[in-house]
Amino acid sequence: DEFQHVAEAEPEDAEEVVDTLKNVSQQNDHPISLVLSGLPEIRDFIAGHFANTQITRRDRFFEIPRLDIERDRVKLTEFVGEIAAAAGLEDRTRNHPDFLDRLAHASTNQLGRFGIVATLAANEALLLRDEVLEPGHFAEAIRLLTLCPDESNVFLVSDWPDMSVWPDDDAARRFVAEDEDAFYANGRKTRMKSRTAAATPNRIAAE
């Protein structure tokens, strides 16, 4: 998991990892099947380092398609409902017609990020001792992940379709990426200590 870190490493370190993976996958006595996953950036890296006849003959490569809100709406709605149910929360996000569109946009149409935001939102609801899962919890999840102010929060503004959700600054991007990695590693997001009451609204801003 998180194989993009190999692609971001120094060339000699990346080559060492790749050579090791090739060796363990080609052992005659105890071959190991590899499942490499990560962000879309690993696609070219894998193609460049693993695309030879020995590897491609044995392995398959596929990319999880980007979310299509119209195609995937039912499944994504069920996904959020299942997360709420697993946390013992009543799912009230379905009462907001554009909620799922906002969530898909906030997730940059990436399934993994969609899951992170939804799970973190449920975690926030539990931390607040709420009994329901509402869009305001997703607003807080995005605030924690992107460090955005309320006026730039996709769940709180009316002009969200044209909004860039994730930071463009390189330093901020690295900070957010580390935050996401910690979430994946820990299975739950560590709550930031500094919070304000205004940062946890429980409604979507009126259009």
Side-chain angles (χ1 to χ4, degrees), residues 170-185:
D170 286 340
R173 261 202 308 269
R174 285 194 296 272
F175 183 89
V176 170
E178 291 170 0
D179 208 33
E180 283 192 287
D181 290 345
F183 184 93
Y184 275 120

Side-chain angles (χ1 to χ4, degrees), residues 120-132:
L120 179 53
N123 189 53
E124 285 301 307
L126 293 176
L127 288 172
L128 292 170
R129 299 186 182 280
D130 290 340
E131 297 181 352
V132 299

Side-chain angles (χ1 to χ4, degrees), residues 1-7 17 21 36-38 42 45-46 50:
D1 195 13
E2 301 301 316
F3 195 74
Q4 70 272 4
H5 292 309
V6 176
V17 172
L21 294 178
L36 308 179
S37 66
I42 73 173
F45 180 84
I46 291 177
F50 289 85

Side-chain angles (χ1 to χ4, degrees), residues 51-191:
N52 59 61
T53 55
Q54 288 183 326
I55 299 297
T56 55
R57 185 173 64 243
R58 301 174 182 176
D59 299 331
R60 296 180 180 179
F61 299 91
F62 67 93
E63 181 178 356
I64 297 176
R66 295 177 64 83
L67 298 178
D68 182 314
I69 191 60
E70 298 308 323
R71 178 194 66 206
D72 303 323
R73 186 177 298 276
V74 173
K75 290 184 178 180
L76 294 178
T77 299
E78 293 174 349
F79 182 27
V80 174
E82 290 173 359
I83 289 177
L89 300 168
E90 178 188 345
D91 179 17
R92 290 189 181 173
T93 62
R94 302 188 187 198
N95 299 337
H96 301 268
D98 64 352
F99 162 75
L100 205 64
D101 300 81
R102 290 175 184 256
L103 179 53
H105 182 75
S107 306
T108 57
N109 292 314
Q110 296 182 38
L111 181 60
R113 185 167 281 176
F114 185 99
I116 286 180
V117 177
T119 305
L120 179 53
N123 189 53
E124 285 301 307
L126 293 176
L127 288 172
L128 292 170
R129 299 186 182 280
D130 290 340
E131 297 181 352
V132 299
L133 182 63
E134 297 185 297
H137 300 122
F138 289 80
E140 176 66 357
I142 286 297
R143 187 188 76 83
L144 290 173
L145 285 171
T146 68
L147 311 179
C148 69
D150 286 355
E151 58 269 22
S152 299
N153 193 312
V154 67
F155 290 100
L156 300 176
V157 297
S158 59
D159 58 344
W160 61 269
D162 300 321
M163 181 175 293
S164 177
V165 179
W166 297 83
D168 295 325
D169 176 74
D170 286 340
R173 261 202 308 269
R174 285 194 296 272
F175 183 89
V176 170
E178 291 170 0
D179 208 33
E180 283 192 287
D181 290 345
F183 184 93
Y184 275 120
N186 297 334
R188 65 188 295 273
K189 176 69 174 61
T190 301
R191 186 185 185 187

